[in-house]
Amino acid sequence: MKTDLHTVSNTDNPSWAAIVGNPNCGKTALFNRLTGLHHKVGNYPGITVEKKSGRIRNSRIVLRDLPGTYSLSSKSVDEKIVSDMVQSWREPKNRPRAVIVVVDATNLIRNTYLALQILDWNIPTIIVLNMIDEARKKHISIDADELKKRTKAWAVIPASAKYGEGIKEIIETLEQIPDNVRLPKMEPRLVEIEHCTENIAPLEQFLEPKKDVLNHHPRIEALRLLSDDGYINYLTKYFTAAELEQLLSKVTEVKTALKKNHIPYRSLEQSSRFAYIDLYLGDVFKKDPISRRSMSEKADAILTHPVFGPIALLLVLGFIFNAIFSWAQFPMDLIQSGIDWTSAQAGAILPDGILKSLLTEGIIGGAGTILIFFPQIIILIFFLSLLEDSGYMARMAFMMDKLMSKIGLNGRSVLPLLSGFACAIPAVMSARTIENRRDRFVTIMLIPLMSCSARLPVYTILIAAFVPAGYIFGFMPMQAAVLMGIYFLGMFTAIFAALIFKKFYPSKSVQTMLMELPPYRMPLARSLWWQIYDKGKSFLTTAGSIILAISIVLWFLASYPRQAGDQQHTSRERIEYSYAGQLGHFIEPVVQPLGFDWKIGVGLITSFAAREVMVSTLSTLYNLENDSGQSQSLIQAMRKDRYPDGRKVFTPLSVLSLMVFFVFAAQCMATFAVIKKETNSWRWPLLMTGYMTILAYVSCLLVYQGGQLLGFI
Ligand code: GDP
Ligand code: MG
């Protein structure tokens, strides 16, 4: 699925096309339509963080989806991916057969900016006017033929990735582009701004002789050298050292001249491109003169209102947490009885012995337990996808933007942090949209504090076993409230942690957030389904196989070595004698002050592979310990379990302590690995593990010991 630029552009397959566009214009949705691949479609910037390729159905053309970007500058990691690829087009061998610029037809003026920048590379460019369904609803009419004539685009195609409109036409147009077309070199699509032309002339003239090597118009090069200090790096290989020095001094010279004329040279390209759009294209984009307040605006009057907005947000979250319990109850019971039945059947058929023990206690008892949580995970994924695709997630980010700047972060951090509720791994990757390096790294450090879906089974089993199902104040479901509280604990701690980072590692620059709220959109059922399918499948296969493997290893560790005269001992004595028992007892002194016994200690170790393994670990240990020969429900076993001196193992206080531990502890090897990769250093993942482990240990110590001092049990 992922193909490197060079393998695609190689001579064995010269037919590839790039898809570029602003964030949220529907690139990924279009890509999926064209290729039939089911990529995640999200309603906020920065979903596509990796280059993705896919072949158009029944065609030899390969498409590459790129991250969304407003322009070809290279400030954030995301923009740099696009900008680097575009820069490689100077070499003819790297040029795509065509570029598809996806444009949001409801937001033409801003979207056209990038289209003009791309057009100036003189590669056949197809402008796709996406979301044409919405544009029609808003009475925006666009004369596609006229737009094609004026911009000299290869084609302009109105389309709707949502309803499949225009898809066939895009494919046909792509197919009809002859191999190796050479477009005539065009004048850049810019308007000359008064006084500028003569000021920039020295730079432009200096670049003129290199025109053919650079494969890009000297005026655009000049403007970009003025706006972006890093741009020179793209040109170094085309100049000798002496020439480079001359070039740099020309840049300085021109900057000085422009400054003298009070021309803001950094935004020069922007102003001359927007002037072009205004002058040459303005009448092509006709808008209905009677502008009406859209549905989105009406909804936002309440949903992002300073007072009602946060209340609505809390209600939405409350509803979701409650749904996780109440909707999941029935399927969970069903799966539980299915597992019990399977276990009983296997127990009845198989003779007593190792195989029976492995199957019923190790595999069905351990790995099977995690299946029970599948409905809850699905419900969580469903709601997260719904929030994202509908556009509400972007509002959540918007409402929290102010708070973010108070704690030394910026609004762009919100989305990666919110994605952390699903899983830290894509969340850490999506932090790439944060331009400022410091803010990006601090955000990455905070993401693991957001309770990910893998922690859900641990929370819910503890809550189901030890929090009564009643209501607080007669209307608030108690279990959902505790669950929400646990999630908030992580969030509030992240705020504190951000403040501490701010103190010791202050932010140097203030990045204003230019996030534009996408309109509310009815999520595509198909897209929701694919997200649930993809994530559900990866939970069952990836997590499932880890859990299965660990369950088997654990069963072995908990069953061996056997003592002489094994049969005379009770199951409990046998398991305490086993490797797992020895390991658990070895670390017990460390975890005992937190209110955990040795079994929980073993669970804490095994859950490093994946947090939800905690549940299956306890399940395996309790099943092996149980003499009744029947698998018992984990909840009952936990409620009954006692220390040798008769005290209960799970008390309200130790349960609270355990939940707090799961909120704070950095028990996830995959997160460690992805942070190492994204920050390209060991320092950050080690810092994350270090601070979170200390935080977890100290908080649990405070909860448990403090609680006991106060007289709780
Ligand atoms: P990207 O950021 O450019 O990759 O945009 P996405 O493909 O993630 O789409 C952003 C949102 O727009 C999603 O909610 C899509 O369901 C929605 N969307 C995409 N194409 C269309 C379209 O043609 N019409 C409408 N109404 N919605 C669309
Ligand atoms: Mg995308």
Side-chain angles (χ1 to χ4, degrees):
M1 205 164 74
K2 239 178 277 166
T3 330
D4 193 60
L5 172 67
H6 302 287
T7 52
V8 175
S9 59
N10 251 344
T11 39
D12 55 336
N13 185 357
S15 292
W16 67 280
I19 301 191
V20 296
N22 289 10
N24 263 314
C25 63
K27 274 186 320 306
T28 305
L30 191 76
F31 178 78
N32 292 348
R33 277 278 184 188
L34 292 169
T35 59
L37 278 179
H38 308 288
H39 282 293
K40 196 175 154 6
V41 184
N43 200 358
Y44 67 77
I47 284 285
T48 313
V49 286
E50 299 277 4
K51 286 183 268 188
K52 290 191 197 109
S53 305
R55 193 176 295 275
I56 295 184
R57 271 177 283 192
N58 310 322
S59 160
R60 63 194 179 103
I61 299 173
V62 171
L63 287 183
R64 170 147 339 116
D65 187 21
L66 287 153
T69 180
Y70 293 112
S71 74
L72 293 180
S73 80
S74 53
K75 290 195 192 102
S76 77
V77 182
D78 252 9
E79 288 170 348
K80 203 165 151 20
I81 293 177
V82 182
S83 156
D84 285 355
M85 118 114 45
V86 171
Q87 288 294 327
S88 77
W89 295 347
R90 295 180 192 284
E91 320 278 341
K93 68 173 180 9
N94 290 337
R95 295 193 146 216
R97 152 194 288 256
V99 189
I100 299 177
V101 184
V102 186
V103 162
D104 176 351
T106 65
N107 200 342
L108 268 173
I109 299 198
R110 205 205 44 209
N111 276 249
T112 307
Y113 182 75
L114 179 69
L116 295 183
Q117 288 189 320
I118 296 285
L119 279 162
D120 280 343
W121 279 91
N122 293 315
I123 293 172
T125 300
I126 301 174
I127 297 181
V128 173
L129 301 170
N130 193 35
M131 313 233 180
I132 201 73
D133 55 304
E134 267 188 27
R136 276 189 210 119
K137 265 193 229 151
K138 290 187 172 172
H139 303 267
I140 300 170
S141 66
I142 308 149
D143 189 338
D145 292 333
E146 191 60 31
L147 188 60
K148 175 183 154 164
K149 228 185 275 163
R150 304 237 186 126
T151 56
K152 304 276 189 310
W154 187 271
V156 175
I157 304 174
S160 164
K162 181 170 180 174
Y163 297 109
E165 187 182 335
I167 304 298
K168 227 177 94 206
E169 214 182 327
I170 299 172
I171 297 179
E172 279 167 11
T173 312
L174 272 175
E175 295 273 358
Q176 281 160 10
I177 296 174
D179 286 331
N180 308 316
V181 243
R182 291 219 160 262
L183 294 184
K185 292 233 155 90
M186 292 261 310
E187 273 300 290
R189 289 135 180 108
L190 295 161
V191 167
E192 296 185 8
I193 291 184
E194 255 182 283
H195 305 303
C196 281
T197 322
E198 60 262 31
N199 282 318
I200 298 173
L203 191 51
E204 209 181 317
Q205 275 153 21
F206 182 83
L207 293 161
E208 186 68 28
K210 295 272 182 185
K211 199 162 69 180
D212 291 325
V213 203
L214 293 176
N215 230 333
H216 202 199
H217 199 285
R219 189 162 329 134
I220 305 171
E221 302 286 15
L223 291 175
R224 228 154 281 167
L225 280 167
L226 293 171
S227 69
D228 182 357
D229 295 332
Y231 193 78
I232 187 94
N233 297 326
Y234 286 127
L235 304 181
T236 41
K237 66 175 166 205
Y238 303 99
F239 293 88
T240 63
E243 285 172 331
L244 263 184
E245 216 164 286
Q246 272 178 297
L247 178 61
L248 278 173
S249 72
K250 288 270 180 240
V251 172
T252 324
E253 179 191 320
V254 169
K255 279 184 180 174
T256 322
L258 287 167
K259 237 188 248 166
K260 221 189 268 160
N261 286 326
H262 305 289
I263 297 171
Y265 54 81
R266 283 199 190 276
S267 54
L268 211 51
E269 183 183 357
Q270 271 174 33
S271 23
S272 52
R273 295 245 188 227
F274 280 117
Y276 179 93
I277 295 173
D278 204 35
L279 198 64
Y280 294 108
L281 307 176
D283 59 321
V284 183
F285 311 152
K286 277 175 288 219
K287 201 172 172 167
D288 180 19
I290 322 151
S291 86
R292 45 198 99 200
R293 217 162 148 226
S294 69
M295 287 287 282
S296 276
E297 281 164 41
K298 279 184 219 157
D300 270 339
I302 295 172
L303 292 178
T304 58
H305 185 275
V307 179
F308 302 125
I311 295 177
L313 178 63
L314 280 181
L315 286 177
V316 168
L317 292 179
F319 179 81
I320 295 175
F321 286 120
N322 192 37
I324 287 172
F325 276 106
S326 53
W327 297 7
Q329 196 55 53
F330 177 70
M332 287 173 81
D333 289 346
L334 214 63
I335 297 174
Q336 174 78 61
S337 30
I339 289 172
D340 290 348
W341 184 84
T342 317
S343 178
Q345 292 297 310
I349 296 168
L350 294 169
D352 281 352
I354 296 176
L355 187 62
K356 177 171 169 177
S357 166
L358 171 64
L359 204 67
T360 58
E361 287 150 357
I363 296 177
I364 303 178
T369 321
I370 212 69
L371 265 186
I372 298 173
F373 296 97
F374 192 57
Q376 289 187 328
I377 298 214
I378 292 291
I379 292 171
L380 182 71
I381 295 169
F382 168 74
F383 278 112
L384 285 174
S385 315
L386 197 67
L387 288 182
E388 227 172 80
D389 281 13
S390 64
Y392 189 65
M393 192 85 109
R395 269 74 186 179
M396 292 168 72
F398 171 76
M399 284 188 272
M400 286 189 259
D401 185 39
K402 248 217 193 93
L403 175 73
M404 284 292 147
S405 57
K406 284 209 182 91
I407 61 173
L409 289 175
N410 69 67
R412 277 178 200 262
S413 313
V414 177
L415 296 167
L417 286 172
L418 289 176
S419 335
F421 284 125
C423 175
I425 292 151
V428 166
M429 282 167 51
S430 69
R432 288 183 186 181
T433 48
I434 303 171
E435 285 173 18
N436 180 313
R437 192 182 140 89
R438 179 261 173 208
D439 289 0
R440 176 164 170 244
F441 285 3
V442 172
T443 305
I444 290 177
M445 288 296 99
L446 302 180
I447 287 172
L449 285 173
M450 305 290 122
S451 283
C452 62
S453 54
R455 279 176 258 192
L456 190 60
V458 182
Y459 298 151
T460 52
I461 193 139
L462 291 172
I463 291 175
F466 299 101
V467 178
Y471 288 82
I472 310 173
F473 308 128
F475 72 95
M476 203 193 291
M478 190 127 74
Q479 295 183 328
V482 172
L483 186 63
M484 199 157 152
I486 282 292
Y487 275 78
F488 276 131
L489 176 64
M491 283 155 66
F492 285 124
T493 308
I495 295 178
F496 273 109
L499 287 173
I500 293 170
F501 274 113
K502 187 179 168 188
K503 186 153 172 55
F504 292 102
Y505 183 20
S507 188
K508 281 191 207 83
S509 75
V510 189
Q511 187 188 357
T512 47
M513 164 136 143
L514 271 176
M515 198 176 88
E516 159 216 13
L517 293 179
Y520 288 104
R521 291 205 172 95
M522 196 59 182
L524 304 180
R526 209 157 26 109
S527 147
L528 282 181
W529 159 248
W530 280 112
Q531 288 180 59
I532 292 173
Y533 177 84
D534 274 352
K535 290 194 184 132
K537 195 172 127 195
S538 95
F539 173 78
L540 285 184
T541 53
T542 324
S545 51
I546 296 174
I547 291 166
L548 186 65
I550 291 185
S551 295
I552 294 172
V553 170
L554 202 68
W555 168 84
F556 173 80
L557 290 179
S559 306
Y560 296 89
R562 302 207 157 164
Q563 309 170 63
D566 195 53
Q567 295 312 317
Q568 281 110 58
H569 297 277
T570 63
S571 303
R572 180 165 194 133
E573 283 164 353
R574 263 184 264 152
I575 200 168
E576 298 211 0
Y577 184 77
S578 71
Y579 295 120
Q582 291 169 30
L583 179 69
H585 285 294
F586 178 72
I587 65 157
E588 197 167 21
V590 184
V591 297
Q592 208 171 25
L594 312 181
F596 307 153
D597 79 335
W598 67 271
K599 286 195 231 61
I600 302 176
V602 174
L604 295 182
I605 294 175
T606 52
S607 57
F608 264 94
R611 285 179 173 99
E612 60 273 35
V613 169
M614 177 78 190
V615 175
S616 53
T617 300
L618 286 180
S619 196
T620 307
L621 293 179
Y622 280 116
N623 270 319
L624 284 167
E625 197 182 86
N626 166 21
D627 279 321
S628 71
Q630 260 222 347
S631 86
Q632 56 180 345
S633 108
L634 181 54
I635 292 186
Q636 287 160 1
M638 290 192 327
R639 283 186 184 147
K640 277 197 307 218
D641 196 20
R642 285 173 191 275
Y643 285 108
D645 63 9
R647 284 181 302 124
K648 282 195 165 180
V649 171
F650 289 94
T651 63
L653 208 53
S654 70
V655 167
L656 181 64
S657 173
L658 188 53
M659 287 202 277
V660 168
F661 191 89
F662 268 81
V663 174
F664 291 147
Q667 292 151 296
C668 179
M669 293 191 302
T671 307
F672 188 92
V674 78
I675 294 182
K676 158 82 180 60
K677 185 168 155 256
E678 290 292 302
T679 60
N680 200 13
S681 97
W682 287 103
R683 207 169 64 203
W684 293 100
L686 287 172
L687 176 68
M688 186 256 322
T689 313
Y691 101 85
M692 289 183 69
T693 307
I694 295 171
L695 182 65
Y697 196 84
V698 172
S699 324
C700 291
L701 202 62
L702 284 177
V703 166
Y704 191 69
Q705 298 297 335
Q708 279 192 326
L709 280 181
L710 293 176
F712 295 103
I713 48 152

